[in-house]
Amino acid sequence: MARSVLLRLLSKQRIKTIMFKSNGEDLAFLSKLAEERRLRSVIDSVFPLSQLDLAHRRSQSGHARGKIVIDHGGSAAPT
């Protein structure tokens, strides 16, 4: 089920939020999509931590077209 929903979502420009209980087959499918670079995160905007109030307003506005990222100014996690 999750596979068919994801394929429909990936083939259209409409964005939907779906919730489902994952299993090994679904996770393998998502992993394959990520490896093929067919699974992407959409970022609407990036705000510094000092503008958290603006980020919250953006999230409540109903106009965000992706994730809202808060940049805390720290370095990336070690690899």
Side-chain angles (χ1 to χ4, degrees):
M1 179 186 131
R3 175 179 250 172
S4 64
V5 171
L6 283 172
L7 286 174
R8 279 184 285 169
L9 289 175
L10 294 172
S11 66
K12 296 180 181 182
Q13 292 297 315
R14 272 177 85 189
I15 297 173
K16 294 183 180 180
T17 301
I18 58 171
M19 299 289 288
F20 59 91
K21 189 172 186 176
S22 62
N23 60 40
E25 183 180 326
D26 291 339
L27 294 175
F29 177 69
L30 289 172
S31 177
K32 182 180 179 202
L33 289 177
E35 288 172 5
E36 294 172 354
R37 297 185 180 267
R38 292 177 56 200
L39 186 64
R40 298 189 181 129
S41 296
V42 178
I43 297 177
D44 175 78
S45 49
V46 179
F47 291 91
L49 188 57
S50 63
Q51 294 182 349
L52 192 58
D53 60 326
L54 294 176
H56 183 260
R57 274 190 249 158
R58 178 73 181 164
S59 74
Q60 298 300 303
S61 72
H63 297 291
R65 294 289 190 194
K67 298 297 180 184
I68 298 170
V69 177
I70 307 301
D71 183 358
H72 62 81
S75 60
T79 57

Coordinates of all heavy atoms in Angstrom, one line a residue:
M1 N 0.8 -1.2 0.0 CA 0.0 0.0 0.0 C 0.9 1.3 0.0 O 0.7 2.2 -0.8 CB -0.9 0.0 1.2 CG -1.8 1.3 1.2 SD -2.8 1.4 2.7 CE -2.4 3.0 3.2
A2 N 1.8 1.3 0.9 CA 2.7 2.5 1.0 C 3.4 2.7 -0.3 O 3.6 3.9 -0.7 CB 3.7 2.4 2.1
R3 N 3.8 1.6 -1.0 CA 4.6 1.8 -2.2 C 3.7 2.5 -3.3 O 4.2 3.4 -4.0 CB 5.0 0.4 -2.7 CG 5.7 0.4 -4.0 CD 6.1 -1.0 -4.4 NE 7.5 -1.0 -4.4 CZ 8.3 -2.0 -4.5 NH1 7.7 -3.2 -4.7 NH2 9.6 -1.9 -4.5
S4 N 2.4 2.1 -3.4 CA 1.6 2.7 -4.4 C 1.3 4.1 -4.1 O 1.2 5.0 -5.0 CB 0.3 1.9 -4.6 OG -0.5 1.9 -3.4
V5 N 1.1 4.4 -2.8 CA 0.9 5.8 -2.4 C 2.1 6.7 -2.8 O 2.0 7.8 -3.3 CB 0.5 5.9 -0.9 CG1 0.5 7.4 -0.5 CG2 -0.8 5.2 -0.7
L6 N 3.3 6.2 -2.4 CA 4.5 6.9 -2.7 C 4.7 7.1 -4.2 O 5.1 8.2 -4.6 CB 5.7 6.2 -2.1 CG 5.9 6.4 -0.6 CD1 7.0 5.5 -0.1 CD2 6.1 7.9 -0.2
L7 N 4.5 6.1 -5.0 CA 4.6 6.2 -6.4 C 3.7 7.3 -7.0 O 4.1 8.1 -7.8 CB 4.4 4.9 -7.1 CG 5.5 3.9 -7.0 CD1 5.1 2.6 -7.6 CD2 6.8 4.4 -7.6
R8 N 2.5 7.3 -6.5 CA 1.5 8.4 -7.0 C 2.0 9.7 -6.5 O 1.9 10.7 -7.3 CB 0.1 8.1 -6.4 CG -0.6 7.1 -7.2 CD -2.0 6.9 -6.8 NE -1.9 6.1 -5.5 CZ -2.8 5.9 -4.6 NH1 -4.0 6.5 -4.8 NH2 -2.7 5.2 -3.6
L9 N 2.5 9.8 -5.3 CA 3.0 11.1 -4.8 C 4.2 11.6 -5.6 O 4.3 12.8 -5.9 CB 3.4 11.1 -3.3 CG 2.2 10.9 -2.4 CD1 2.7 10.7 -1.0 CD2 1.3 12.1 -2.4
L10 N 5.1 10.7 -6.0 CA 6.3 11.1 -6.7 C 6.0 11.4 -8.1 O 6.8 12.1 -8.8 CB 7.3 10.0 -6.6 CG 7.9 9.7 -5.2 CD1 8.7 8.4 -5.2 CD2 8.7 10.9 -4.7
S11 N 4.9 11.0 -8.7 CA 4.6 11.2 -10.1 C 3.8 12.5 -10.3 O 3.6 12.9 -11.4 CB 3.9 10.1 -10.7 OG 2.6 10.0 -10.1
K12 N 3.4 13.2 -9.3 CA 2.6 14.4 -9.4 C 3.4 15.6 -8.7 O 4.2 15.4 -7.9 CB 1.3 14.2 -8.8 CG 0.4 13.2 -9.4 CD -0.9 13.1 -8.8 CE -1.8 12.1 -9.4 NZ -3.1 11.9 -8.8
Q13 N 2.9 16.8 -9.0 CA 3.5 18.0 -8.4 C 2.8 18.3 -7.1 O 3.2 19.1 -6.3 CB 3.4 19.2 -9.3 CG 4.4 19.0 -10.5 CD 5.8 19.0 -10.0 OE1 6.3 19.7 -9.2 NE2 6.6 18.1 -10.6
R14 N 1.6 17.7 -6.8 CA 0.9 17.9 -5.6 C 1.6 17.3 -4.4 O 2.2 16.2 -4.5 CB -0.5 17.3 -5.6 CG -1.5 18.2 -6.2 CD -2.9 17.5 -6.3 NE -3.6 17.6 -5.1 CZ -4.7 16.9 -4.8 NH1 -5.2 16.1 -5.7 NH2 -5.3 17.1 -3.6
I15 N 1.5 17.9 -3.3 CA 2.2 17.5 -2.1 C 1.1 17.0 -1.1 O 0.2 17.7 -0.8 CB 3.1 18.6 -1.5 CG1 4.2 18.9 -2.4 CG2 3.7 18.1 -0.1 CD1 5.0 20.1 -2.0
K16 N 1.3 15.8 -0.5 CA 0.4 15.3 0.5 C 1.2 14.7 1.6 O 2.4 14.3 1.4 CB -0.5 14.2 -0.1 CG -1.4 14.6 -1.2 CD -2.3 13.4 -1.6 CE -3.2 13.9 -2.6 NZ -4.1 12.7 -3.1
T17 N 0.7 14.8 2.8 CA 1.3 14.1 3.9 C 0.6 12.8 4.2 O -0.7 12.8 4.2 CB 1.2 15.0 5.2 OG1 1.8 16.3 4.9 CG2 1.8 14.4 6.4
I18 N 1.3 11.8 4.3 CA 0.7 10.5 4.6 C 1.4 9.9 5.8 O 2.5 10.1 6.1 CB 0.9 9.5 3.4 CG1 2.4 9.3 3.0 CG2 0.1 10.0 2.2 CD1 2.6 8.2 2.0
M19 N 0.6 9.1 6.5 CA 1.1 8.3 7.7 C 0.8 6.9 7.5 O -0.3 6.5 7.0 CB 0.4 8.8 8.9 CG 0.6 10.3 9.2 SD 2.2 10.7 9.8 CE 2.2 10.0 11.4
F20 N 1.8 6.0 7.7 CA 1.6 4.6 7.6 C 2.6 3.9 8.5 O 3.6 4.5 8.9 CB 1.7 4.1 6.2 CG 3.0 4.4 5.5 CD1 4.0 3.5 5.6 CD2 3.2 5.6 4.8 CE1 5.3 3.7 5.0 CE2 4.4 5.8 4.2 CZ 5.4 4.9 4.3
K21 N 2.3 2.7 8.9 CA 3.2 1.9 9.7 C 4.2 1.2 8.7 O 3.8 0.5 7.8 CB 2.4 0.8 10.5 CG 3.2 0.1 11.5 CD 2.3 -0.8 12.3 CE 3.1 -1.4 13.4 NZ 2.3 -2.2 14.3
S22 N 5.5 1.5 9.0 CA 6.5 1.0 8.1 C 6.8 -0.5 8.4 O 6.6 -1.0 9.5 CB 7.8 1.8 8.2 OG 8.3 1.7 9.5
N23 N 7.3 -1.1 7.3 CA 7.8 -2.5 7.5 C 9.1 -2.6 6.6 O 9.5 -1.7 6.0 CB 6.7 -3.5 7.0 CG 6.3 -3.4 5.6 OD1 7.1 -3.1 4.7 ND2 5.0 -3.5 5.3
G24 N 9.7 -3.7 6.7 CA 11.0 -3.9 6.0 C 10.9 -3.7 4.5 O 11.8 -3.0 3.9
E25 N 9.8 -4.1 3.9 CA 9.7 -3.9 2.4 C 9.6 -2.4 2.1 O 10.2 -1.9 1.1 CB 8.4 -4.7 1.9 CG 8.3 -4.6 0.4 CD 7.0 -5.3 0.0 OE1 6.7 -6.4 0.6 OE2 6.4 -4.8 -1.0
D26 N 8.8 -1.7 2.9 CA 8.6 -0.3 2.6 C 9.9 0.5 2.9 O 10.3 1.4 2.1 CB 7.6 0.3 3.6 CG 6.2 -0.1 3.3 OD1 5.9 -0.6 2.1 OD2 5.3 -0.1 4.2
L27 N 10.7 0.1 3.9 CA 11.9 0.8 4.2 C 13.0 0.5 3.1 O 13.7 1.4 2.7 CB 12.5 0.4 5.6 CG 11.6 0.9 6.7 CD1 12.2 0.3 8.0 CD2 11.5 2.4 6.8
A28 N 13.0 -0.7 2.6 CA 13.9 -1.1 1.5 C 13.5 -0.2 0.2 O 14.4 0.2 -0.5 CB 13.8 -2.6 1.2
F29 N 12.2 -0.1 0.0 CA 11.8 0.7 -1.2 C 12.2 2.2 -1.0 O 12.7 2.8 -2.0 CB 10.2 0.6 -1.3 CG 9.7 1.4 -2.4 CD1 9.9 1.1 -3.8 CD2 8.9 2.5 -2.2 CE1 9.4 1.9 -4.8 CE2 8.4 3.3 -3.2 CZ 8.6 3.0 -4.5
L30 N 12.0 2.7 0.2 CA 12.4 4.1 0.4 C 13.9 4.3 0.3 O 14.4 5.3 -0.3 CB 12.0 4.6 1.8 CG 10.5 4.8 1.9 CD1 10.1 5.1 3.4 CD2 10.0 6.0 1.0
S31 N 14.7 3.3 0.7 CA 16.1 3.3 0.6 C 16.6 3.3 -0.8 O 17.4 4.0 -1.2 CB 16.7 2.1 1.4 OG 18.1 2.0 1.2
K32 N 15.9 2.5 -1.6 CA 16.2 2.4 -3.1 C 15.9 3.8 -3.7 O 16.7 4.3 -4.5 CB 15.4 1.3 -3.8 CG 15.7 1.2 -5.2 CD 14.9 0.1 -5.8 CE 15.2 0.0 -7.3 NZ 14.1 -0.6 -8.1
L33 N 14.8 4.4 -3.4 CA 14.5 5.7 -3.9 C 15.5 6.8 -3.6 O 15.9 7.6 -4.4 CB 13.1 6.2 -3.5 CG 11.9 5.5 -4.0 CD1 10.6 6.0 -3.4 CD2 11.8 5.6 -5.5
A34 N 16.0 6.7 -2.3 CA 17.0 7.6 -1.9 C 18.3 7.4 -2.6 O 19.0 8.4 -3.0 CB 17.2 7.5 -0.3
E35 N 18.7 6.2 -2.8 CA 19.9 5.9 -3.5 C 19.9 6.3 -4.9 O 20.9 6.7 -5.5 CB 20.2 4.4 -3.5 CG 20.6 3.9 -2.1 CD 20.7 2.3 -2.0 OE1 20.5 1.7 -3.1 OE2 21.0 1.8 -0.9
E36 N 18.7 6.2 -5.5 CA 18.5 6.7 -6.9 C 18.3 8.2 -7.0 O 18.0 8.7 -8.1 CB 17.3 5.9 -7.5 CG 17.5 4.4 -7.7 CD 16.3 3.7 -8.1 OE1 15.2 4.3 -8.2 OE2 16.4 2.5 -8.3
R37 N 18.3 8.9 -5.9 CA 18.1 10.3 -5.8 C 16.7 10.7 -6.4 O 16.5 11.8 -7.0 CB 19.2 11.1 -6.5 CG 20.6 10.9 -5.9 CD 21.6 11.8 -6.6 NE 22.9 11.6 -6.0 CZ 23.4 12.3 -4.9 NH1 22.6 13.2 -4.4 NH2 24.6 12.0 -4.5
R38 N 15.7 9.8 -6.1 CA 14.4 10.1 -6.5 C 13.5 10.6 -5.3 O 12.4 10.9 -5.5 CB 13.7 8.9 -7.1 CG 14.4 8.5 -8.5 CD 13.8 7.2 -9.1 NE 12.3 7.3 -9.2 CZ 11.6 6.3 -9.3 NH1 12.1 5.1 -9.3 NH2 10.3 6.4 -9.4
L39 N 14.1 10.5 -4.2 CA 13.4 10.9 -2.9 C 14.1 12.2 -2.5 O 15.3 12.2 -2.2 CB 13.6 9.8 -1.9 CG 12.9 10.0 -0.6 CD1 11.4 10.0 -0.8 CD2 13.2 8.9 0.4
R40 N 13.3 13.3 -2.4 CA 13.9 14.6 -2.1 C 13.2 15.3 -1.0 O 11.9 15.1 -0.9 CB 13.9 15.5 -3.3 CG 14.7 14.9 -4.5 CD 14.9 15.9 -5.6 NE 15.6 15.3 -6.6 CZ 15.3 15.3 -7.9 NH1 14.1 15.8 -8.3 NH2 16.0 14.7 -8.8
S41 N 13.9 16.0 -0.2 CA 13.3 16.9 0.8 C 13.1 18.3 0.2 O 14.0 18.8 -0.5 CB 14.1 17.0 2.0 OG 14.3 15.8 2.7
V42 N 11.9 18.8 0.4 CA 11.6 20.2 -0.1 C 11.8 21.1 1.0 O 11.1 21.0 2.0 CB 10.2 20.3 -0.7 CG1 9.9 21.7 -1.2 CG2 10.1 19.2 -1.8
I43 N 12.7 22.1 0.9 CA 12.9 23.1 1.9 C 12.3 24.4 1.5 O 12.7 25.0 0.4 CB 14.5 23.3 2.2 CG1 15.0 21.9 2.7 CG2 14.7 24.4 3.2 CD1 16.5 21.9 3.0
D44 N 11.4 24.9 2.3 CA 10.7 26.2 2.0 C 11.6 27.3 2.3 O 11.8 28.3 1.5 CB 9.4 26.3 2.8 CG 8.8 27.6 2.6 OD1 8.1 27.8 1.6 OD2 8.9 28.4 3.5
S45 N 12.2 27.3 3.5 CA 13.0 28.4 4.0 C 13.9 28.0 5.1 O 13.7 27.0 5.8 CB 12.1 29.6 4.4 OG 11.1 29.1 5.3
V46 N 15.0 28.8 5.3 CA 15.9 28.6 6.4 C 16.0 29.9 7.3 O 16.2 30.9 6.7 CB 17.3 28.2 5.8 CG1 18.3 28.0 7.0 CG2 17.3 27.0 4.9
F47 N 15.9 29.7 8.6 CA 15.9 30.8 9.5 C 17.0 30.6 10.5 O 17.2 29.5 11.0 CB 14.6 31.0 10.2 CG 13.5 31.4 9.4 CD1 12.6 30.5 8.8 CD2 13.2 32.8 9.2 CE1 11.6 30.9 8.0 CE2 12.1 33.2 8.5 CZ 11.3 32.3 7.9
P48 N 17.8 31.6 10.9 CA 18.7 31.5 12.0 C 17.9 31.4 13.3 O 16.8 31.8 13.4 CB 19.5 32.8 11.9 CG 18.7 33.8 11.2 CD 17.8 33.0 10.3
L49 N 18.5 30.8 14.3 CA 17.9 30.6 15.6 C 17.3 32.0 16.1 O 16.3 32.0 16.8 CB 18.8 30.0 16.6 CG 18.2 29.5 17.9 CD1 17.1 28.6 17.7 CD2 19.3 28.9 18.8
S50 N 18.1 33.0 15.8 CA 17.6 34.4 16.3 C 16.3 34.8 15.7 O 15.7 35.8 16.2 CB 18.7 35.4 16.0 OG 18.9 35.5 14.7
Q51 N 15.9 34.2 14.6 CA 14.6 34.5 14.0 C 13.6 33.4 14.2 O 12.7 33.2 13.3 CB 14.8 34.9 12.5 CG 15.7 36.1 12.3 CD 15.8 36.4 10.8 OE1 15.5 35.6 10.0 NE2 16.3 37.6 10.5
L52 N 13.6 32.8 15.3 CA 12.7 31.7 15.5 C 11.2 32.1 15.5 O 10.4 31.4 15.0 CB 13.0 31.0 16.9 CG 12.3 29.7 17.2 CD1 12.7 28.7 16.2 CD2 12.7 29.3 18.6
D53 N 11.0 33.3 15.9 CA 9.6 33.9 15.9 C 9.1 34.0 14.4 O 8.0 33.6 14.1 CB 9.5 35.2 16.6 CG 10.4 36.3 16.0 OD1 11.5 35.9 15.5 OD2 10.0 37.4 16.0
L54 N 10.0 34.4 13.5 CA 9.6 34.5 12.1 C 9.4 33.1 11.5 O 8.5 32.9 10.7 CB 10.7 35.3 11.3 CG 10.9 36.7 11.7 CD1 12.0 37.3 10.9 CD2 9.6 37.5 11.4
A55 N 10.2 32.2 11.9 CA 10.0 30.8 11.4 C 8.7 30.2 11.9 O 8.0 29.6 11.1 CB 11.2 29.9 11.9
H56 N 8.4 30.5 13.1 CA 7.1 30.0 13.6 C 5.9 30.7 12.9 O 5.0 30.0 12.5 CB 7.0 30.3 15.1 CG 5.7 29.8 15.7 ND1 4.6 30.6 16.0 CD2 5.3 28.5 16.1 CE1 3.6 29.8 16.5 NE2 4.1 28.6 16.5
R57 N 6.0 31.9 12.6 CA 5.0 32.6 11.9 C 4.8 32.0 10.5 O 3.7 31.9 10.0 CB 5.2 34.1 11.8 CG 4.7 34.9 13.0 CD 4.8 36.4 12.8 NE 5.8 36.8 13.7 CZ 6.5 37.9 13.6 NH1 6.3 38.7 12.6 NH2 7.4 38.2 14.5
R58 N 6.0 31.7 9.9 CA 5.9 31.1 8.5 C 5.2 29.8 8.6 O 4.4 29.5 7.7 CB 7.3 31.0 8.0 CG 7.4 30.3 6.6 CD 7.0 31.2 5.5 NE 7.1 30.5 4.2 CZ 6.5 31.0 3.2 NH1 5.7 32.1 3.2 NH2 6.6 30.3 2.0
S59 N 5.5 29.0 9.6 CA 4.9 27.7 9.7 C 3.4 27.8 9.9 O 2.7 26.9 9.5 CB 5.6 26.9 10.8 OG 5.1 27.4 12.1
Q60 N 3.0 28.8 10.6 CA 1.5 29.0 10.9 C 0.8 29.7 9.8 O -0.4 29.7 9.8 CB 1.3 29.7 12.2 CG 1.9 29.0 13.4 CD 1.3 27.6 13.6 OE1 0.1 27.5 13.8 NE2 2.2 26.6 13.6
S61 N 1.5 30.3 8.8 CA 0.9 31.1 7.7 C 0.1 30.2 6.7 O -0.8 30.8 6.1 CB 1.9 31.9 7.0 OG 2.7 31.0 6.2
G62 N 0.4 29.0 6.6 CA -0.2 28.1 5.6 C 0.4 28.3 4.2 O -0.1 27.7 3.2
H63 N 1.5 29.1 4.1 CA 2.1 29.3 2.8 C 3.4 28.5 2.6 O 3.9 28.6 1.5 CB 2.3 30.8 2.6 CG 1.1 31.6 2.6 ND1 0.1 31.6 1.6 CD2 0.6 32.5 3.5 CE1 -0.9 32.4 1.9 NE2 -0.6 32.9 3.0
A64 N 3.9 27.9 3.6 CA 5.1 27.1 3.4 C 4.9 26.0 2.4 O 3.9 25.2 2.5 CB 5.6 26.6 4.8
R65 N 5.8 25.8 1.5 CA 5.7 24.7 0.5 C 6.8 23.7 0.7 O 7.3 23.1 -0.2 CB 5.9 25.3 -0.9 CG 4.8 26.2 -1.3 CD 3.6 25.4 -1.5 NE 2.5 26.1 -2.1 CZ 1.3 25.7 -2.2 NH1 0.9 24.5 -1.7 NH2 0.3 26.4 -2.7
G66 N 7.2 23.5 1.9 CA 8.2 22.5 2.3 C 8.6 22.6 3.7 O 7.9 23.3 4.5
K67 N 9.7 22.1 4.1 CA 10.2 22.1 5.5 C 10.8 23.5 5.8 O 11.4 24.1 4.9 CB 11.2 21.0 5.8 CG 10.7 19.6 5.6 CD 9.6 19.4 6.6 CE 9.0 18.0 6.4 NZ 7.9 17.7 7.3
I68 N 10.6 23.9 7.0 CA 11.2 25.1 7.5 C 12.4 24.7 8.4 O 12.2 24.0 9.3 CB 10.2 26.0 8.3 CG1 9.0 26.4 7.3 CG2 10.8 27.2 8.9 CD1 7.9 27.0 8.0
V69 N 13.6 25.2 8.0 CA 14.8 24.8 8.7 C 15.2 25.9 9.7 O 15.2 27.0 9.3 CB 15.9 24.4 7.7 CG1 17.2 24.1 8.4 CG2 15.4 23.3 6.8
I70 N 15.6 25.5 10.9 CA 16.2 26.4 11.9 C 17.7 26.1 11.9 O 18.1 25.0 12.3 CB 15.6 26.2 13.3 CG1 14.0 26.3 13.2 CG2 16.1 27.3 14.2 CD1 13.5 27.6 12.7
D71 N 18.5 27.1 11.6 CA 19.9 27.0 11.6 C 20.4 27.5 12.9 O 20.4 28.6 13.2 CB 20.6 27.8 10.5 CG 22.1 27.6 10.4 OD1 22.7 26.9 11.2 OD2 22.6 28.2 9.4
H72 N 21.0 26.5 13.7 CA 21.4 26.9 15.1 C 22.9 27.4 15.0 O 23.4 27.8 16.1 CB 21.3 25.8 16.0 CG 22.1 24.6 15.7 ND1 23.4 24.4 16.0 CD2 21.7 23.4 15.1 CE1 23.8 23.3 15.6 NE2 22.8 22.6 15.0
G73 N 23.5 27.5 13.9 CA 24.8 28.0 13.7 C 26.0 27.1 14.2 O 27.1 27.5 14.2
G74 N 25.7 25.9 14.6 CA 26.7 24.9 15.0 C 27.3 24.2 13.8 O 26.8 24.4 12.7
S75 N 28.4 23.5 14.0 CA 29.0 22.8 12.9 C 28.3 21.5 12.7 O 27.5 21.0 13.5 CB 30.5 22.5 13.3 OG 30.5 21.7 14.5
A76 N 28.4 20.9 11.5 CA 27.8 19.7 11.2 C 28.3 18.6 12.1 O 29.4 18.6 12.6 CB 28.1 19.4 9.7
A77 N 27.5 17.5 12.2 CA 27.9 16.4 13.0 C 29.2 15.7 12.4 O 29.3 15.7 11.1 CB 26.8 15.4 13.1
P78 N 30.1 15.2 13.2 CA 31.3 14.6 12.6 C 30.9 13.3 11.8 O 29.9 12.6 12.1 CB 32.1 14.2 13.8 CG 31.2 14.3 15.0 CD 30.1 15.2 14.6
T79 N 31.7 13.1 10.8 CA 31.4 11.9 9.9 C 32.3 10.7 10.3 O 33.3 10.9 10.9 CB 31.5 12.2 8.4 OG1 32.9 12.7 8.2 CG2 30.5 13.3 8.0

